Structure formats: structure tokens, C-alpha cells
Amino acid sequence: MTPDDEIRAAAQRAQPPQIDSSRSHDPSNNLKRSDPFQFGSRYLEKGDDVFEFNAWDHVEPDDGFKAYAEAQYEKQRAAPVTDFDKNRFNQDPAKWWDLFYKNNTENFFKDRKWLQQEFPVLAEVTQKDAGPQVVLEVGAGAGNTAFPLIRSNENEHLKVHACDFSKYAVKVMRESEHYDEKYMVADVWDVAAQPDENGNYLPPGLTEGSVDVVILIFIFSALNPAQWNRALHNIYRVLKPGGRVLFRDYGRGDLAQVRFKKGRYMGENFYVRGDGTRVYFFDKDELIQMWSRWTLEKGLQVDTESTSESQPAEPEAPFEVVHMGVDRRLLVNRSSKLKMYRCWMQGHFRKRDGPAATTAEAGQ
């Protein structure tokens, strides 16, 4: 049996927990949600046929699949990437993303039409009377976030800065028929950039405290954990006081993590894909600590052995955690009878505009 067959078999054996029946499957009741951190209301209830729908919300793997996943992680740790490959993939990550976009020019991800539902802040800044609003998308790729945002925009004073550290991705955006310089500018920028010889480290055309909203969708997972501290520093510097960060990324235990084979493990919960791009899988408490305890003076303060409750926010922390949610779904391929457990993390953070932000600014 191949490793892929083993994973498929383990997923098929899993019996997702089913809650007591309490509601119907009337589409008006269970397909959408008004609260973006509720993550749907299609619950898998007792008596339901798991293959009736393509997806179920709030479904955790059963104990059997969790045990299988832990066994997979042990195999991954026992066969990590070589030191040579670790250096190769970490030394120039932009190179691998350039190759990714060159190889997938005709097969980019679908436009993220769900953005304004998941992040109502984006609906606010695109309203007709929203006034001057500056949005920075980090890791913009081929424009699958920026272009839908502009198409739905009614705000004459909106400006979207779509940045990526892949030169090829930026080229794709600039050459797109949807690229409208009135509302959008695409530039090369690394969110973990160190100051250059002139002391510059912010995106082209942006200054400190000039951005209202920063979008981070599947971006921090592509960084080496050693880069998170610098990334937080740069995001903090570019945001206005009161500015917001919209975050979505991979969660620990996602099927993509379980599937990794030998020679892909770079560090705990950190892997390299077959195409050379990197990916990290986050835990909720880890992210809460990351954003509520980071300071300019102390940097990252994350204890992976502790919960967010046992590690309270730093009083002088410049970021406030507005929301932090775990989006767990059971996706189903009804034709092949395949069950896939997915897990994503979704956060909304705010740069404080009170004493904490003032103290942090004074420290630099």
C-alpha cells in the first residue's frame, strides 16, 4: 500500500463526531453565516449521511484519525530534509515562488470572492462613502485577492498596494487586464525585509503609519519561523494607529500536514513542498501569543507548551487580538467517497492607538 493509499484508508475509517439533531438542513439556515468567525452552520448531526453534502462545518477528526496523524508526524520527524536542502530552500525562497508562478501561469488559484464575507472590514473600506483608505496585501500572488476587491469597490479614494516577493507574480499582476492603476499598484516586497543600505524596509510608495488594512492570507506559513519577528515589525511600522490586520492561514492537523512524506520535514510543523515552497501549520494559542505578546523591544514571546490563557497579553503589546478562530471543515468527495479534514486559522488584529502604541514608538 502506498503512503497516499494509507492516508485515504485512514480517512475512510474515521467516524466524524456527530452532534444531536437540533436543526434542519434548510439551505436558508445552514449554507451561509453572518458572523465571519462562526464559520458556517452546516453541522454533522446524528443520522446524517456524511456524503450527502460536499462540506460540513465544525467537524474535528475522530480519535482514530488523530492517532494516525500523530504517527505520521513521527515518521516525518524521523526523516527530515538534509541540511543541504534546508539551506537551499531557506536561502532564496523568492526563487521557488518565481518557479511556482511560472509553472502555474494558466492554473492560478481562483479569485477569493469570499473575502468580504470572511472579513467585513473589506466591505467597509470599499463603500462609496468610506473616504481615503489604503490597503496593503502581502503576498498578493497573481492578484486573486486584490482584483476581486477592486471589482467590488465603490470608493473613489481606495488604494490597494498588492505586494509579493516573487518578481514573476508582480509581473503577472501588472500585465493582467484587471490591473487598474487608479486603484491598485503592484510591487515587489518581502514582508520580512531587513533595512537596506538606505534604511528602507517598507513597500515602495508607502511610509510609516500610512496603511489602514493589511491582508495576510496564507503568508506567514510561507515564512521561516525565524522571519516572523521581522515581519511583525514591518507590519507594525506600516500600519496607522488603529489599523487592522486580516489573517488567514493553515491550521495544525490539516490534511495537507498529515500527507507530507519523508524528506519534507524542516522543523516542528514546518515543511517544504515538492515545488520548493515552504509551509507552516499554526496552532490557535500560538497565534494569540504571537500577536498579543510581541513588542518592538522584546520581539516574539511564544511558549508552544503553554496556552494563551497562561501567557496573558503584554501590557505594552502594540497589537490587540480582536478575533482568533479555528475553521475546521470536513470536505467530502461524494463520487470517490473520500473524506478530507481541513483546518484553517483566521484572525483579526488591530494596532493599538493608545499608550501601548505610543510607548512602542518611543522605544525606536
Side-chain angles (χ1 to χ4, degrees), residues 2-273:
T2 68
D4 286 338
D5 289 337
E6 288 182 3
I7 294 172
R8 179 186 292 265
Q12 294 308 94
R13 289 194 301 270
Q15 296 298 322
Q18 295 178 312
I19 65 172
D20 291 330
S21 299
S22 60
R23 64 184 73 195
S24 72
H25 291 308
D26 181 342
S28 66
N29 184 51
N30 60 30
L31 295 184
K32 300 294 181 183
R33 67 274 194 187
S34 57
D35 180 351
F37 286 82
Q38 182 183 340
F39 302 119
S41 56
R42 179 178 279 165
Y43 293 85
L44 183 59
E45 299 175 346
K46 291 180 179 178
D48 286 337
D49 175 5
V50 70
F51 297 108
E52 182 181 0
F53 295 108
N54 292 327
W56 302 88
D57 300 303
H58 311 289
V59 180
E60 290 216 22
D62 67 358
D63 291 339
F65 190 81
K66 288 179 180 179
Y68 173 79
E70 290 298 328
Q72 287 294 104
Y73 304 151
E74 287 300 321
K75 292 179 181 178
Q76 295 164 359
R77 296 183 188 105
V81 301
T82 64
D83 289 340
F84 173 81
D85 279 342
K86 184 179 291 188
N87 291 331
R88 184 163 64 100
F89 294 125
N90 282 325
Q91 190 172 28
D92 187 11
K95 163 189 169 182
W96 301 102
W97 282 105
D98 274 337
L99 289 172
F100 171 85
Y101 287 111
K102 287 178 182 177
N103 293 333
N104 293 277
T105 303
E106 304 300 327
N107 189 34
F108 283 124
F109 300 113
K110 295 180 180 179
D111 284 351
R112 291 162 174 157
K113 299 176 182 179
W114 43 264
L115 281 169
Q116 293 182 343
Q117 178 180 308
E118 296 289 346
F119 297 113
V121 171
L122 296 178
E124 297 172 12
V125 300
T126 55
Q127 289 178 359
K128 188 174 183 178
D129 58 352
Q133 297 287 334
V134 178
V135 175
L136 168 62
E137 186 194 2
V138 180
N144 303 102
T145 293
F147 292 142
L149 191 62
I150 290 173
R151 283 198 293 271
S152 65
N153 177 51
E154 297 180 353
N155 181 4
E156 286 294 311
H157 305 286
L158 176 73
K159 195 70 173 184
V160 177
H161 289 255
C163 295
D164 201 287
F165 66 6
S166 166
K167 294 179 181 178
Y168 196 87
V170 172
K171 175 177 178 289
V172 170
M173 284 190 286
R174 289 176 176 173
E175 293 178 351
S176 170
E177 62 179 312
H178 304 296
Y179 189 63
D180 185 347
E181 292 185 345
K182 179 180 178 180
Y183 299 107
M184 176 181 173
V185 58
D187 281 304
V188 176
W189 183 63
D190 181 356
V191 68
Q194 297 287 341
D196 62 19
E197 62 274 10
N198 299 315
N200 299 323
Y201 55 87
L202 295 180
L206 292 175
T207 58
E208 290 196 17
S210 62
V211 171
D212 295 280
V213 180
V214 171
I215 303 174
L216 302 170
I217 299 180
F218 300 110
I219 299 309
F220 263 56
S221 59
L223 300 176
N224 187 312
Q227 296 177 294
W228 293 343
N229 185 65
R230 187 66 207 181
L232 285 164
H233 180 280
N234 291 346
I235 293 165
Y236 171 77
R237 282 299 181 185
V238 80
L239 269 176
K240 295 178 180 178
R244 292 164 287 188
V245 177
L246 309 179
F247 181 100
R248 187 168 174 86
D249 224 313
Y250 295 102
R252 200 157 297 168
D254 184 81
L255 182 62
Q257 181 179 14
V258 179
R259 279 177 168 167
F260 276 109
K261 304 178 180 66
K262 296 179 180 179
R264 297 297 174 195
Y265 179 87
M266 301 258 281
E268 197 62 15
N269 302 302
F270 187 45
Y271 303 82
V272 61
R273 300 184 182 95

